Amino acid sequence: MAASLRGVSPELREYLRINRLPDIYEALLSGLSIMCPEDCLTFILEKLMYLKEKGLDCLHWDMFIDEDMKPHHRIVTESNLDMIFNFEDWLMPTPEMYTAAYSHYNNKLKEMCFCAMMQYHLHKKEKQLALQEKISQASQHHAHQILLVHLKIWKDWVKYRKGRQAMTFNKIQHVYNVSIGRVMFQAWYKHTLEARKQREYFERLERGENVDDDDAFGEGTGEARDSVSTLPWKIAVQIFSYLDVADIVNCACVCRFWKVLTQANLLWSRIDFYKVKKRVTDKIVTRLLYKARPYLIHLNLRMCHRLSRPSFVSVSECRNLQDLNLSECTGLDDETFKIVTKGCKILLYLNIAYTNLTDASLRVINKNCHNLQYLSLAFCNKFTDRGLLYLSIGHCHDKLQHLDISGCLQVTPQGFQYLADGCPNLQSLILNEFPTLLDECVMIVTEKCLKINTISLLGCPLLTDESLKRLAHNKSLQVLKIDGNNRISDSSMKVIGRLCPDLRHVYLADCQRLTDTTLKSLSSCKNLVVLNMADCVRISDTGIRHFTEGAAAGKLRELNLTNCVRLGDMAMVNLHKKCHNLTYLNINFCEHVSEAGIELLGQIHSLVALDVSGCNCTDQSLSALGHNARLRELIVSDNDSITDLGLQKFAQQAKYIESLDVSHCLHLTDSAIKNLAFNCRLLTSLNLSGCKHLTDLSLQYLSGVCHYIVQLDISGCIHVSDKALKYLKKGCKKMRHLNLLYCKKITKQAALKAQRYISVVQHSNEDVPLYFNY
């Protein structure tokens, strides 16, 4: 503007001065800058009209600014405006002014460069000092590390020398002990050998035999020389320890060495008659117990219905017996039980479940069993609260740690009060199948038995949150089992998760009111190993995410999420990321878990057993599961998308699989079983029920290669005939259980014949049920 006004005539310049145009411009510009109106043009017109009405006498540079927004200082001075409008020539800068300005500007640049140079010099000096300090620290650290290395070498040398000295001392001591023992053994052996020769000599004289006959034992007498007889004594006894009572008795008839071997003390410290319960009689029991009574510690007579008073009298003569199982023995009554307890006074474990014993028997326990720690009275309906009173005031009341009164519906709150008052050291309480159990009973026990760490409440639908909250205040709870309860909610689980950090086993199946909040509450239990949330339909991916974000996911080994229909792939993603020790997983009939979710499970390398029945498992996901080298058990039943190709790819990778269930996979044929048999030769359990396309050829493949199969189910395989059973007899000699339901081509005669070499054979010629979807 100054350039444009420089050539203006003096008249126009005088006009601008008289009408005060610079002042008007200054006032307008100040108002526009500070007020910032939305419509600038209207603002200017209004202010000009105002000046026209009021005149130039009221003109001021900040008159168009509101009072609350007026600046304290004037931004543009009069001299600057005069210079802009170029009213006076003397206001223009002179050469001297330009020289002064240039000199000032040059001095300022020199000052700035000098300050920058000084700052750079000081920074460089500080950097050098810091470097020297670091070098000094590094030298000290290096010297310290050298000293540590030499100290470690010296400590290792001292440790090695001490170890060598200790090892030398142990060797010298061992040699000394062996030498002394050898001298003593040789003297004893020589004396024993001479005594034996003398005894045999006189026995032969009495029989009139030739005294010169020097046949040794096992050489000239027809003694057997088998592989077991040539083994060391301890190894041979260990082999025989895996046999049941009937097999040991039969082995004693083989040869002299085996007869001597079967009389080893280790074999008769534990006797289990349950495996031969249908054949055992009083005569057998009395004879065996008479021989084993000095060594017998564990005795199992469960479901031996043919036993009577003589057998129990023989049991009473086993004074060293500590573990006794008499459950489901119909011949046991109060009198015979009294005889047993009079003789077996050091019992630690006693199981009399499913018997008809009354209060008198509990009184006998009170009198004779002073050291009893484990007692099972499950489903004993004859005793009353008075019997529990006898138990609580007996000699064993302060030592009793485990009590099972499942199904004893006759017990009232008064009986639980007796237990709470008399058995303060209870640690494990089993109350299963107790539909009449109330909160009052549980709270009575938990109020005084503060050491309870295991409680089982399966089949107790009347319990509410109050009893569980009271139980949580013990803070020592480790095992909690509840199922089928529709009254328990998330509020009790919150208290348990907060107060019981040592929880290890939680069983909450079919508790319909539990939601994701329960999983979030349990996520803080860092020692949780087993979690069963089957049929808890309100659980979703969010709950699994909360659970895996907590400390519980680190040690979790078993997880059951059966029928949790809201779970999807995100739950599988969280399990894959966090649960690195998971060995057992059950997600059957979780319909929202897709093929991608199942493939992620194949990348959990700790998995040993997996159940994905009823999920969206395809050939690709089944092949992905085969990548897990540790997988030993897999259930993929009820998956119509699985074909021969998927099972072939899985079998080629999972060569160490031991148990496989592909039942009701309708598209499988003999080709799939062929690949399975020739790749997975370690199979022990196989379920092929509902695979309608399989024929005798599949059983021929299995019998030719898979010689370890113990259990096989081919129910509903309508094309399998009697010929297949011949293959199984020839190749699968270890088979113990065979299921042949709805196999119409297998005759009853062939099934009965198979029972000769297979323990359990289930067979029927009925039509295939509709749920097989043939």
Side-chain angles (χ1 to χ4, degrees):
M1 182 178 290
S4 61
L5 293 176
R6 188 169 296 172
V8 175
S9 61
E11 292 81 7
L12 179 58
R13 185 175 298 178
E14 185 65 21
Y15 175 79
L16 293 176
R17 183 190 301 277
I18 294 172
N19 291 283
R20 302 180 63 182
L21 278 181
D23 296 335
I24 295 173
Y25 286 161
E26 181 182 13
L28 289 174
L29 289 174
S30 301
L32 289 172
S33 300
I34 303 301
M35 299 301 295
C36 298
E38 295 182 358
D39 190 351
C40 300
L41 184 60
T42 304
F43 178 83
I44 294 173
L45 292 176
E46 289 177 355
K47 302 306 178 184
L48 290 177
M49 292 296 296
Y50 178 80
L51 288 175
K52 185 177 180 181
E53 294 176 359
K54 299 294 182 178
L56 296 178
D57 296 334
C58 64
L59 182 64
H60 192 264
W61 71 274
D62 58 352
M63 67 179 296
F64 298 144
I65 302 175
D66 294 343
E67 293 297 329
D68 56 339
M69 297 182 66
K70 286 185 178 182
H72 298 289
H73 303 285
R74 188 171 184 176
I75 299 174
V76 181
T77 61
E78 292 180 359
S79 59
N80 289 335
L81 287 174
D82 291 340
M83 183 181 67
I84 291 174
F85 284 91
N86 202 13
F87 286 146
E88 298 293 340
D89 292 336
W90 60 270
L91 293 176
M92 297 298 295
T94 61
E96 291 80 9
M97 294 173 65
Y98 279 116
T99 302
Y102 176 79
S103 176
H104 177 74
Y105 177 74
N106 193 20
N107 291 333
K108 294 296 290 184
L109 286 179
K110 289 180 180 179
E111 182 181 357
M112 182 177 65
C113 291
F114 179 79
C115 291
M117 183 188 68
M118 290 296 296
Q119 187 175 4
Y120 169 77
H121 175 72
L122 292 175
H123 177 70
K124 188 174 180 181
K125 187 176 181 180
E126 291 176 358
K127 191 173 180 181
Q128 290 178 353
L129 292 175
L131 180 61
Q132 291 178 359
E133 184 178 359
K134 289 182 179 179
I135 292 173
S136 176
Q137 292 179 356
S139 300
Q140 294 179 1
H141 177 73
H142 181 260
H144 183 65
Q145 289 297 318
I146 291 176
L147 290 175
L148 286 178
V149 170
H150 285 82
L151 179 62
K152 186 176 182 304
I153 294 173
W154 177 78
K155 288 177 66 177
D156 293 340
W157 179 82
V158 172
K159 185 177 180 180
Y160 170 77
R161 294 298 301 173
K162 288 185 177 180
R164 294 283 296 180
Q165 291 175 0
M167 185 171 60
T168 305
F169 174 80
N170 291 334
K171 285 184 177 181
I172 294 173
Q173 189 176 23
H174 176 70
V175 170
Y176 174 80
N177 294 333
V178 169
S179 300
I180 296 296
R182 185 174 299 169
V183 171
M184 296 173 63
F185 180 81
Q186 287 177 354
W188 172 82
Y189 179 78
K190 184 177 180 180
H191 175 76
T192 304
L193 192 60
E194 291 178 356
R196 178 180 176 183
K197 288 181 179 180
Q198 291 178 3
R199 185 178 68 253
E200 290 178 353
Y201 175 80
F202 285 106
E203 287 176 355
R204 291 182 181 182
L205 284 179
E206 292 176 357
R207 291 194 300 266
E209 296 178 359
N210 185 8
V211 181
D212 297 331
D213 185 8
D214 294 328
D215 286 341
F217 178 81
E219 294 180 1
T221 59
E223 176 66 28
R225 287 299 176 186
D226 55 278
S227 57
V228 177
S229 302
T230 59
L231 291 174
W233 176 266
K234 291 184 179 180
I235 297 177
V237 171
Q238 188 66 32
I239 292 174
F240 274 71
S241 65
Y242 291 100
L243 303 178
D244 57 28
V245 177
D247 292 334
I248 292 177
V249 173
N250 293 331
C251 290
C253 302
V254 174
C255 63
R256 294 181 184 177
F257 181 79
W258 281 30
K259 184 175 182 179
V260 175
L261 194 63
T262 55
Q263 294 176 357
N265 301 345
L266 179 63
L267 299 180
W268 299 105
S269 64
R270 180 187 299 270
I271 299 180
D272 187 358
F273 286 108
Y274 176 70
K275 298 179 180 179
V276 292
K277 57 183 179 294
K278 295 182 180 180
R279 293 182 289 168
V280 66
T281 60
D282 288 333
K283 183 178 179 181
I284 296 173
V285 172
T286 53
R287 187 174 64 183
L288 290 178
L289 293 184
Y290 180 79
K291 182 172 62 174
R293 59 185 179 179
Y295 326 111
L296 187 59
I297 298 177
H298 307 274
L299 178 60
N300 187 0
L301 294 172
R302 180 187 174 191
M303 294 185 68
C304 295
H305 301 304
R306 302 172 64 182
L307 301 185
S308 59
R309 185 184 180 89
S311 297
F312 298 114
V313 172
S314 299
V315 173
S316 67
E317 295 174 354
C318 302
R319 306 295 182 181
N320 297 321
L321 196 62
Q322 298 180 13
D323 183 1
L324 179 59
N325 190 341
L326 300 175
S327 61
E328 301 182 63
C329 288
T330 55
L332 184 68
D333 55 20
D334 291 336
E335 291 298 326
T336 53
F337 184 72
K338 183 177 181 181
I339 296 172
V340 171
T341 55
K342 277 187 177 181
C344 306
K345 292 190 176 183
I346 62 171
L347 280 176
L348 299 177
Y349 303 91
L350 178 60
N351 189 342
I352 51 176
Y354 294 93
T355 58
N356 295 320
L357 300 182
T358 64
D359 295 337
S361 297
L362 296 183
R363 190 170 187 176
V364 169
I365 294 176
N366 168 21
K367 183 178 179 181
N368 297 326
C369 302
H370 298 174
N371 300 311
L372 195 63
Q373 297 179 5
Y374 176 101
L375 177 62
S376 177
L377 300 171
F379 298 94
C380 295
N381 300 319
K382 299 295 184 180
F383 73 89
T384 64
D385 294 341
R386 182 173 293 276
L388 295 179
L389 175 61
Y390 293 146
L391 192 65
S392 62
I393 62 176
H395 295 88
C396 66
H397 71 97
D398 57 339
K399 296 182 180 179
L400 192 63
Q401 298 179 4
H402 178 99
L403 180 62
D404 186 354
I405 53 175
S406 300
C408 299
L409 306 183
Q410 74 277 10
V411 180
T412 66
Q414 184 62 44
F416 285 99
Q417 186 66 53
Y418 291 148
L419 284 177
D421 294 336
C423 303
N425 295 322
L426 271 179
Q427 297 181 11
S428 178
L429 183 61
I430 311 299
L431 301 173
N432 298 333
E433 303 303 326
F434 220 119
T436 60
L437 188 66
L438 301 176
D439 290 336
E440 178 186 359
C441 302
V442 177
M443 289 190 289
I444 288 173
V445 177
T446 56
E447 184 178 358
K448 294 187 177 180
C449 300
L450 303 179
K451 296 182 180 181
I452 290 181
N453 55 38
T454 300
I455 188 166
S456 181
L457 303 169
L458 304 179
C460 301
L462 299 182
L463 295 180
T464 65
D465 292 332
E466 295 301 322
S467 57
L468 294 185
K469 289 179 180 179
R470 183 69 63 85
L471 177 65
H473 284 82
N474 289 352
K475 297 184 180 181
S476 59
L477 193 64
Q478 295 182 4
V479 178
L480 175 63
K481 294 184 179 181
I482 305 173
D483 72 343
N485 192 306
N486 294 327
R487 299 188 177 189
I488 294 175
S489 64
D490 295 330
S491 61
S492 58
M493 293 299 109
K494 286 182 180 179
V495 178
I496 290 176
R498 186 177 71 254
L499 299 181
C500 303
D502 296 328
L503 271 177
R504 295 178 57 83
H505 189 161
V506 179
Y507 186 98
L508 300 173
D510 198 20
C511 295
Q512 301 292 331
R513 295 183 62 187
L514 299 183
T515 65
D516 294 337
T517 307
T518 295
L519 287 175
K520 187 175 181 180
S521 303
L522 295 176
S523 64
S524 60
C525 302
K526 60 182 179 180
N527 295 320
L528 193 62
V529 177
V530 178
L531 178 61
N532 190 332
M533 300 290 290
D535 297 311
C536 295
V537 295
R538 296 189 179 186
I539 292 176
S540 64
D541 294 342
T542 305
I544 299 296
R545 178 173 58 83
H546 289 318
F547 179 79
T548 55
E549 288 175 351
K555 293 184 178 180
L556 189 68
R557 297 186 61 186
E558 297 184 17
L559 180 62
N560 191 338
L561 300 173
T562 301
N563 288 332
C564 295
V565 293
R566 297 188 181 183
L567 294 182
D569 291 341
M570 287 306 301
M572 303 302 108
V573 171
N574 290 311
L575 291 177
H576 169 256
K577 288 183 178 179
K578 302 290 184 176
C579 300
H580 301 302
N581 292 317
L582 192 64
T583 59
Y584 173 84
L585 177 62
N586 190 336
I587 56 168
N588 58 351
F589 296 102
C590 294
E591 300 175 353
H592 295 293
V593 177
S594 67
E595 179 181 356
I598 297 177
E599 289 182 9
L600 274 177
L601 297 180
Q603 300 177 18
I604 303 179
H605 300 296
S606 59
L607 269 182
V608 176
L610 177 63
D611 187 351
V612 290
S613 303
C615 298
N616 299 315
C617 185
T618 62
D619 290 342
Q620 184 176 351
S621 55
L622 182 60
S623 175
L625 292 177
H627 293 297
N628 189 347
R630 295 189 60 186
L631 196 64
R632 295 294 181 269
E633 180 181 346
L634 178 63
I635 303 177
V636 289
S637 61
D638 294 292
N639 283 296
D640 295 336
S641 302
I642 294 179
T643 64
D644 292 349
L645 181 61
L647 188 58
Q648 176 183 352
K649 291 182 178 180
F650 172 79
Q652 289 174 351
Q653 300 173 87
K655 295 184 178 181
Y656 298 103
I657 194 77
E658 296 176 3
S659 178
L660 181 63
D661 185 349
V662 289
S663 57
H664 301 283
C665 295
L666 303 179
H667 299 294
L668 296 182
T669 64
D670 293 335
S671 176
I673 306 304
K674 177 182 178 181
N675 288 286
L676 178 67
F678 284 94
N679 287 289
C680 306
R681 302 191 178 190
L682 300 179
L683 278 173
T684 59
S685 177
L686 181 61
N687 191 340
L688 300 174
S689 63
C691 299
K692 61 181 180 179
H693 297 298
L694 302 186
T695 64
D696 294 338
L697 190 58
S698 296
L699 278 298
Q700 186 176 6
Y701 290 141
L702 291 173
S703 61
V705 183
C706 301
H707 301 301
Y708 302 103
I709 291 183
V710 177
Q711 184 173 355
L712 179 63
D713 190 349
I714 53 173
S715 301
C717 296
I718 55 179
H719 299 295
V720 176
S721 64
D722 295 344
K723 190 176 180 181
L725 299 183
K726 296 180 180 179
Y727 296 142
L728 294 178
K729 178 183 178 182
K730 182 178 180 181
C732 301
K733 298 184 181 298
K734 295 186 178 182
M735 186 171 293
R736 295 292 179 267
H737 192 285
L738 179 61
N739 203 336
L740 304 172
L741 300 177
Y742 318 119
C743 296
K744 304 187 69 173
K745 287 190 176 182
I746 297 179
T747 61
K748 185 176 181 180
Q749 292 76 12
L752 292 174
K753 190 175 180 180
Q755 291 181 354
R756 299 176 184 175
Y757 54 91
I758 300 178
S759 302
V760 180
V761 178
Q762 297 181 358
H763 172 257
S764 70
N765 286 324
E766 300 175 0
D767 293 333
V768 178
L770 296 178
Y771 64 83
F772 273 55
N773 297 323
Y774 281 7

